Amino acid sequence: MKSTILSVAVFAAVAAAAPAKNHLLALRQAAPAITDADILNYALTLEHLEDNFYRQVLDKFSEGDFESAGFQAPFYANLKTVSKDESTHVSFLTSALKAAGATPVAECTYDFGLDSVNKSIATASVLEGVGVSAYIGAAADIMSKNYLTAAGSILSVESRHSAYIRAALDESPFPSPFDVPLRYNEVYTLAAPFIKSCPSSNPPLPVKAFPTLTASPDNPKTITRGTKITLLTTDYTVKAADGQSQIYAAFITVTGPVFTPATPIEGGFTLTVPTAPEGSAGIGGQSYVVLTGCNTTVTDDTVAAGPAIVEIAPVFDMQ
């Protein structure tokens, strides 16, 4: 098992040194600044992924397959509309990049593990949620007002996709009054496992992937604030450089991370889902948690692993 040494002073080095399982997903050094063209290509990378995902799902499964899995009409027809939306987003962003004199990234090759209808729709829910968080996280860096307005227009559609699919999975369509912003490297870390190869002609993106962190399949089916859960660090371990300093799990929210101590176990960490401080955004719905040795901030320099995705009961759970 590979050992990753975690300390505040070497966070960035840890992330850059962790080998990817596929060389095509190797970590890339982040650029010192990010441009509007970078952001558009970053968005296009995600839209390509979603577009290809829905086309694969609709090619593999028929309307009858969806009905047999419990998704009754008009779900299949609406999924076709979602797919068309994603294709339109790809066309729009591609045209915008060309108009700006930039080279748009082309579609990559993906592996979504489409074993069943139910697994595919669960993946769709994750992808839509990550897409919403990606647009929110990038918004503050967009310089062009026109691009910012266009990104907001796409964001609202992605949010409707997410709510619709969550409802179809019997999950709350609006589990929190605030959505969660994710930064570029956090989003790329979640997208990278689906990407198997990309055209060599694609312009490089100023992003890198952190070591993968996943929620244990043995976690309770219903998770809420106060629930003890396990996060897995497959093929590597995380520990403090001095061998004794505390490792923390940080739940990302729009008002800032919420920290909780993480206890090391074989293959990962256990922790208790925290309650956000009064007056801040609550933790609920599709939530994101990273491992860090710092309990004051979450940046690219302080993330040691993750984010992991954890589905948590709605903030205002009225049941």
Side-chain angles (χ1 to χ4, degrees):
M1 175 177 287
K2 171 181 165 290
S3 178
T4 298
I5 303 300
L6 178 151
S7 73
V8 174
V10 297
F11 278 139
V14 166
K21 291 183 178 179
N22 188 307
H23 72 283
L24 295 164
L25 303 181
L27 309 180
R28 289 177 281 183
Q29 180 64 43
I34 191 164
T35 66
D36 278 358
D38 291 328
I39 295 172
L40 291 182
N41 258 327
Y42 163 77
L44 180 55
T45 297
L46 300 178
E47 295 293 348
H48 272 311
L49 188 150
E50 289 183 301
D51 176 37
N52 185 281
F53 168 77
Y54 285 112
R55 285 190 281 113
Q56 284 196 39
V57 170
L58 292 170
D59 283 345
K60 183 167 185 176
F61 302 110
S62 67
E63 184 171 10
D65 292 329
F66 275 85
E67 290 178 350
S68 296
F71 297 94
Q72 302 303 314
F75 184 82
Y76 186 78
N78 286 339
L79 204 65
K80 286 185 174 180
T81 300
V82 171
S83 179
K84 290 179 181 177
D85 286 346
E86 304 299 357
S87 295
T88 302
H89 293 165
V90 167
S91 297
F92 172 79
L93 291 170
T94 299
S95 297
L97 281 157
K98 289 180 177 178
T103 301
V105 295
E107 184 177 72
C108 298
T109 300
Y110 311 94
D111 183 358
F112 298 107
L114 305 180
D115 299 331
S116 67
V117 168
N118 285 303
K119 183 178 178 180
S120 298
I121 300 307
T123 300
S125 182
V126 167
L127 293 180
E128 294 291 354
V130 171
V132 169
S133 292
Y135 276 100
I136 297 173
D141 294 334
I142 300 175
M143 301 300 293
S144 166
K145 292 182 179 179
N146 290 336
Y147 291 160
L148 180 59
T149 299
S153 180
I154 294 175
L155 165 62
S156 62
V157 173
E158 298 290 356
S159 185
R160 285 196 289 274
H161 292 171
S162 177
Y164 180 74
I165 292 172
R166 286 181 62 86
L169 292 170
D170 293 326
E171 295 174 346
S172 171
F174 28 78
S176 173
F178 298 97
D179 282 318
V180 178
L182 289 178
R183 298 299 290 169
Y184 308 103
N185 293 337
E186 293 163 345
V187 172
Y188 184 68
T189 299
L190 295 171
F194 297 113
I195 304 172
K196 297 309 169 187
S197 66
C198 292
S200 59
S201 57
N202 275 3
L205 295 177
V207 295
K208 63 182 179 182
F210 299 120
T212 301
L213 186 67
T214 57
S216 171
D218 296 326
N219 283 337
K221 184 176 181 180
T222 300
I223 299 173
T224 188
R225 280 67 57 189
T227 301
K228 185 177 180 179
I229 64 172
T230 298
L231 301 179
L232 304 178
T233 55
T234 306
D235 296 335
Y236 69 96
T237 60
V238 175
K239 60 182 180 180
D242 62 9
Q244 60 184 13
S245 293
Q246 179 66 57
I247 305 299
Y248 297 92
F251 286 78
I252 301 168
T253 79
V254 72
T255 52
V258 182
F259 298 91
T260 187
T263 301
I265 60 171
E266 180 67 28
F269 288 81
T270 60
L271 58 110
T272 299
V273 178
T275 298
E278 185 176 354
S280 62
I283 301 171
Q286 185 166 305
S287 302
Y288 308 95
V289 55
V290 299
L291 291 179
T292 175
C294 174
N295 66 349
T296 58
T297 188
V298 171
T299 70
D300 289 344
D301 292 331
T302 64
V303 172
I309 296 176
V310 181
E311 182 65 30
I312 297 175
V315 172
F316 302 125
D317 195 344
M318 301 303 180
Q319 297 182 354

PDB file of all heavy atoms in Angstrom, residues 117-139:
ATOM      1  N   VAL A 117     -29.980   0.392 -15.555  1.00  0.00           N
ATOM      2  CA  VAL A 117     -30.693   1.664 -15.615  1.00  0.00           C
ATOM      3  C   VAL A 117     -30.548   2.407 -14.294  1.00  0.00           C
ATOM      4  O   VAL A 117     -30.256   3.608 -14.256  1.00  0.00           O
ATOM      5  CB  VAL A 117     -32.178   1.439 -15.956  1.00  0.00           C
ATOM      6  CG1 VAL A 117     -32.984   2.725 -15.731  1.00  0.00           C
ATOM      7  CG2 VAL A 117     -32.329   0.965 -17.391  1.00  0.00           C
ATOM      8  N   ASN A 118     -30.761   1.689 -13.196  1.00  0.00           N
ATOM      9  CA  ASN A 118     -30.729   2.342 -11.882  1.00  0.00           C
ATOM     10  C   ASN A 118     -29.355   2.934 -11.578  1.00  0.00           C
ATOM     11  O   ASN A 118     -29.252   4.059 -11.071  1.00  0.00           O
ATOM     12  CB  ASN A 118     -31.130   1.352 -10.785  1.00  0.00           C
ATOM     13  CG  ASN A 118     -32.629   1.093 -10.774  1.00  0.00           C
ATOM     14  OD1 ASN A 118     -33.415   2.012 -10.642  1.00  0.00           O
ATOM     15  ND2 ASN A 118     -33.014  -0.164 -10.935  1.00  0.00           N
ATOM     16  N   LYS A 119     -28.298   2.195 -11.875  1.00  0.00           N
ATOM     17  CA  LYS A 119     -26.952   2.709 -11.653  1.00  0.00           C
ATOM     18  C   LYS A 119     -26.684   3.909 -12.552  1.00  0.00           C
ATOM     19  O   LYS A 119     -26.036   4.884 -12.135  1.00  0.00           O
ATOM     20  CB  LYS A 119     -25.913   1.615 -11.903  1.00  0.00           C
ATOM     21  CG  LYS A 119     -24.490   2.074 -11.621  1.00  0.00           C
ATOM     22  CD  LYS A 119     -23.484   0.951 -11.822  1.00  0.00           C
ATOM     23  CE  LYS A 119     -22.060   1.453 -11.576  1.00  0.00           C
ATOM     24  NZ  LYS A 119     -21.053   0.364 -11.762  1.00  0.00           N
ATOM     25  N   SER A 120     -27.194   3.860 -13.783  1.00  0.00           N
ATOM     26  CA  SER A 120     -26.984   4.960 -14.720  1.00  0.00           C
ATOM     27  C   SER A 120     -27.656   6.235 -14.238  1.00  0.00           C
ATOM     28  O   SER A 120     -27.075   7.330 -14.324  1.00  0.00           O
ATOM     29  CB  SER A 120     -27.522   4.575 -16.105  1.00  0.00           C
ATOM     30  OG  SER A 120     -26.831   3.459 -16.625  1.00  0.00           O
ATOM     31  N   ILE A 121     -28.863   6.135 -13.708  1.00  0.00           N
ATOM     32  CA  ILE A 121     -29.567   7.335 -13.240  1.00  0.00           C
ATOM     33  C   ILE A 121     -28.940   7.845 -11.946  1.00  0.00           C
ATOM     34  O   ILE A 121     -28.896   9.054 -11.695  1.00  0.00           O
ATOM     35  CB  ILE A 121     -31.069   7.054 -13.071  1.00  0.00           C
ATOM     36  CG1 ILE A 121     -31.662   6.637 -14.420  1.00  0.00           C
ATOM     37  CG2 ILE A 121     -31.806   8.293 -12.570  1.00  0.00           C
ATOM     38  CD1 ILE A 121     -31.372   7.599 -15.556  1.00  0.00           C
ATOM     39  N   ALA A 122     -28.423   6.946 -11.132  1.00  0.00           N
ATOM     40  CA  ALA A 122     -27.689   7.391  -9.939  1.00  0.00           C
ATOM     41  C   ALA A 122     -26.448   8.177 -10.357  1.00  0.00           C
ATOM     42  O   ALA A 122     -26.116   9.207  -9.750  1.00  0.00           O
ATOM     43  CB  ALA A 122     -27.302   6.190  -9.085  1.00  0.00           C
ATOM     44  N   THR A 123     -25.757   7.711 -11.397  1.00  0.00           N
ATOM     45  CA  THR A 123     -24.604   8.436 -11.917  1.00  0.00           C
ATOM     46  C   THR A 123     -25.030   9.776 -12.504  1.00  0.00           C
ATOM     47  O   THR A 123     -24.345  10.797 -12.323  1.00  0.00           O
ATOM     48  CB  THR A 123     -23.871   7.599 -12.984  1.00  0.00           C
ATOM     49  OG1 THR A 123     -23.426   6.377 -12.405  1.00  0.00           O
ATOM     50  CG2 THR A 123     -22.681   8.357 -13.560  1.00  0.00           C
ATOM     51  N   ALA A 124     -26.157   9.794 -13.200  1.00  0.00           N
ATOM     52  CA  ALA A 124     -26.677  11.048 -13.761  1.00  0.00           C
ATOM     53  C   ALA A 124     -26.899  12.074 -12.665  1.00  0.00           C
ATOM     54  O   ALA A 124     -26.571  13.258 -12.817  1.00  0.00           O
ATOM     55  CB  ALA A 124     -27.978  10.785 -14.511  1.00  0.00           C
ATOM     56  N   SER A 125     -27.440  11.641 -11.535  1.00  0.00           N
ATOM     57  CA  SER A 125     -27.692  12.545 -10.427  1.00  0.00           C
ATOM     58  C   SER A 125     -26.387  13.138  -9.903  1.00  0.00           C
ATOM     59  O   SER A 125     -26.288  14.344  -9.626  1.00  0.00           O
ATOM     60  CB  SER A 125     -28.427  11.810  -9.304  1.00  0.00           C
ATOM     61  OG  SER A 125     -28.730  12.686  -8.244  1.00  0.00           O
ATOM     62  N   VAL A 126     -25.363  12.292  -9.784  1.00  0.00           N
ATOM     63  CA  VAL A 126     -24.061  12.763  -9.322  1.00  0.00           C
ATOM     64  C   VAL A 126     -23.476  13.772 -10.306  1.00  0.00           C
ATOM     65  O   VAL A 126     -22.998  14.848  -9.919  1.00  0.00           O
ATOM     66  CB  VAL A 126     -23.096  11.573  -9.135  1.00  0.00           C
ATOM     67  CG1 VAL A 126     -21.662  12.064  -8.974  1.00  0.00           C
ATOM     68  CG2 VAL A 126     -23.509  10.743  -7.937  1.00  0.00           C
ATOM     69  N   LEU A 127     -23.502  13.442 -11.602  1.00  0.00           N
ATOM     70  CA  LEU A 127     -22.919  14.321 -12.610  1.00  0.00           C
ATOM     71  C   LEU A 127     -23.618  15.676 -12.646  1.00  0.00           C
ATOM     72  O   LEU A 127     -22.958  16.724 -12.758  1.00  0.00           O
ATOM     73  CB  LEU A 127     -22.987  13.662 -13.991  1.00  0.00           C
ATOM     74  CG  LEU A 127     -22.134  12.414 -14.192  1.00  0.00           C
ATOM     75  CD1 LEU A 127     -22.311  11.869 -15.606  1.00  0.00           C
ATOM     76  CD2 LEU A 127     -20.663  12.703 -13.923  1.00  0.00           C
ATOM     77  N   GLU A 128     -24.948  15.669 -12.550  1.00  0.00           N
ATOM     78  CA  GLU A 128     -25.674  16.939 -12.580  1.00  0.00           C
ATOM     79  C   GLU A 128     -25.350  17.775 -11.348  1.00  0.00           C
ATOM     80  O   GLU A 128     -25.168  18.992 -11.428  1.00  0.00           O
ATOM     81  CB  GLU A 128     -27.177  16.694 -12.683  1.00  0.00           C
ATOM     82  CG  GLU A 128     -27.632  16.055 -13.983  1.00  0.00           C
ATOM     83  CD  GLU A 128     -27.508  16.973 -15.187  1.00  0.00           C
ATOM     84  OE1 GLU A 128     -27.167  18.163 -15.011  1.00  0.00           O
ATOM     85  OE2 GLU A 128     -27.755  16.500 -16.318  1.00  0.00           O
ATOM     86  N   GLY A 129     -25.258  17.122 -10.197  1.00  0.00           N
ATOM     87  CA  GLY A 129     -24.918  17.848  -8.981  1.00  0.00           C
ATOM     88  C   GLY A 129     -23.533  18.454  -9.043  1.00  0.00           C
ATOM     89  O   GLY A 129     -23.313  19.606  -8.647  1.00  0.00           O
ATOM     90  N   VAL A 130     -22.569  17.677  -9.553  1.00  0.00           N
ATOM     91  CA  VAL A 130     -21.213  18.186  -9.698  1.00  0.00           C
ATOM     92  C   VAL A 130     -21.179  19.334 -10.706  1.00  0.00           C
ATOM     93  O   VAL A 130     -20.478  20.335 -10.509  1.00  0.00           O
ATOM     94  CB  VAL A 130     -20.251  17.062 -10.128  1.00  0.00           C
ATOM     95  CG1 VAL A 130     -18.872  17.637 -10.490  1.00  0.00           C
ATOM     96  CG2 VAL A 130     -20.106  16.034  -9.011  1.00  0.00           C
ATOM     97  N   GLY A 131     -21.968  19.213 -11.782  1.00  0.00           N
ATOM     98  CA  GLY A 131     -22.025  20.280 -12.771  1.00  0.00           C
ATOM     99  C   GLY A 131     -22.513  21.589 -12.178  1.00  0.00           C
ATOM    100  O   GLY A 131     -21.963  22.662 -12.450  1.00  0.00           O
ATOM    101  N   VAL A 132     -23.562  21.516 -11.363  1.00  0.00           N
ATOM    102  CA  VAL A 132     -24.073  22.712 -10.695  1.00  0.00           C
ATOM    103  C   VAL A 132     -22.981  23.339  -9.835  1.00  0.00           C
ATOM    104  O   VAL A 132     -22.728  24.549  -9.893  1.00  0.00           O
ATOM    105  CB  VAL A 132     -25.305  22.361  -9.829  1.00  0.00           C
ATOM    106  CG1 VAL A 132     -25.687  23.531  -8.925  1.00  0.00           C
ATOM    107  CG2 VAL A 132     -26.488  21.986 -10.723  1.00  0.00           C
ATOM    108  N   SER A 133     -22.304  22.517  -9.042  1.00  0.00           N
ATOM    109  CA  SER A 133     -21.259  23.021  -8.156  1.00  0.00           C
ATOM    110  C   SER A 133     -20.082  23.592  -8.938  1.00  0.00           C
ATOM    111  O   SER A 133     -19.439  24.553  -8.495  1.00  0.00           O
ATOM    112  CB  SER A 133     -20.788  21.903  -7.223  1.00  0.00           C
ATOM    113  OG  SER A 133     -21.810  21.542  -6.313  1.00  0.00           O
ATOM    114  N   ALA A 134     -19.792  23.010 -10.102  1.00  0.00           N
ATOM    115  CA  ALA A 134     -18.682  23.495 -10.920  1.00  0.00           C
ATOM    116  C   ALA A 134     -18.957  24.899 -11.440  1.00  0.00           C
ATOM    117  O   ALA A 134     -18.076  25.778 -11.405  1.00  0.00           O
ATOM    118  CB  ALA A 134     -18.438  22.535 -12.084  1.00  0.00           C
ATOM    119  N   TYR A 135     -20.159  25.134 -11.942  1.00  0.00           N
ATOM    120  CA  TYR A 135     -20.498  26.458 -12.470  1.00  0.00           C
ATOM    121  C   TYR A 135     -20.504  27.503 -11.358  1.00  0.00           C
ATOM    122  O   TYR A 135     -20.036  28.631 -11.546  1.00  0.00           O
ATOM    123  CB  TYR A 135     -21.846  26.422 -13.176  1.00  0.00           C
ATOM    124  CG  TYR A 135     -21.760  25.963 -14.611  1.00  0.00           C
ATOM    125  CD1 TYR A 135     -22.065  24.655 -14.971  1.00  0.00           C
ATOM    126  CD2 TYR A 135     -21.365  26.840 -15.618  1.00  0.00           C
ATOM    127  CE1 TYR A 135     -21.973  24.223 -16.282  1.00  0.00           C
ATOM    128  CE2 TYR A 135     -21.270  26.424 -16.929  1.00  0.00           C
ATOM    129  CZ  TYR A 135     -21.582  25.116 -17.273  1.00  0.00           C
ATOM    130  OH  TYR A 135     -21.478  24.688 -18.580  1.00  0.00           O
ATOM    131  N   ILE A 136     -21.022  27.145 -10.190  1.00  0.00           N
ATOM    132  CA  ILE A 136     -21.024  28.097  -9.078  1.00  0.00           C
ATOM    133  C   ILE A 136     -19.592  28.439  -8.671  1.00  0.00           C
ATOM    134  O   ILE A 136     -19.242  29.611  -8.458  1.00  0.00           O
ATOM    135  CB  ILE A 136     -21.783  27.521  -7.864  1.00  0.00           C
ATOM    136  CG1 ILE A 136     -23.249  27.282  -8.204  1.00  0.00           C
ATOM    137  CG2 ILE A 136     -21.689  28.478  -6.675  1.00  0.00           C
ATOM    138  CD1 ILE A 136     -24.014  26.557  -7.120  1.00  0.00           C
ATOM    139  N   GLY A 137     -18.746  27.419  -8.590  1.00  0.00           N
ATOM    140  CA  GLY A 137     -17.377  27.635  -8.155  1.00  0.00           C
ATOM    141  C   GLY A 137     -16.548  28.470  -9.118  1.00  0.00           C
ATOM    142  O   GLY A 137     -15.626  29.180  -8.711  1.00  0.00           O
ATOM    143  N   ALA A 138     -16.874  28.400 -10.419  1.00  0.00           N
ATOM    144  CA  ALA A 138     -16.096  29.128 -11.425  1.00  0.00           C
ATOM    145  C   ALA A 138     -16.616  30.545 -11.658  1.00  0.00           C
ATOM    146  O   ALA A 138     -15.903  31.375 -12.226  1.00  0.00           O
ATOM    147  CB  ALA A 138     -16.105  28.358 -12.745  1.00  0.00           C
ATOM    148  N   ALA A 139     -17.838  30.813 -11.233  1.00  0.00           N
ATOM    149  CA  ALA A 139     -18.487  32.079 -11.583  1.00  0.00           C
ATOM    150  C   ALA A 139     -17.676  33.307 -11.193  1.00  0.00           C
ATOM    151  O   ALA A 139     -17.566  34.269 -11.966  1.00  0.00           O
ATOM    152  CB  ALA A 139     -19.875  32.137 -10.943  1.00  0.00           C
TER     153      ALA A 139
END
